[in-house]
Amino acid sequence: YIDFGFNTGKFNGSSLSVFSRGEPALAVVGGRGQFAMATGTALFNPILINATNVIMEFNFTVIHF
């Protein structure tokens, strides 16, 4: 489970919630603010993983109202 929060711009104060069981594709299962009841998918690409740092790239496809 990961929660992505936005603190600037158009989506300030909103967040996206994603869930996965370890697959490269994650399910968008909702959020807060403008992303309440959001659905979609997210793909991640690990850029760097070592003992002290993790850098990941995420690509989201989201449907929200």
Side-chain angles (χ1 to χ4, degrees):
Y1 175 81
I2 304 172
D3 193 51
F4 292 91
F6 297 86
N7 56 15
T8 61
K10 179 180 177 181
F11 300 112
N12 184 23
S14 299
S15 69
L16 279 171
S17 300
V18 297
F19 181 78
S20 176
R21 294 186 181 187
E23 301 88 17
L26 299 102
V28 175
V29 295
R32 290 185 296 249
Q34 292 189 28
F35 294 114
M37 305 295 289
T39 60
T41 59
L43 297 174
F44 71 91
N45 179 30
I47 305 294
L48 171 71
I49 300 174
N50 63 31
T52 58
N53 298 300
V54 175
I55 299 174
M56 307 280 283
E57 174 185 57
F58 288 86
N59 292 302
F60 289 89
T61 302
V62 177
I63 298 171
H64 67 98
F65 302 98

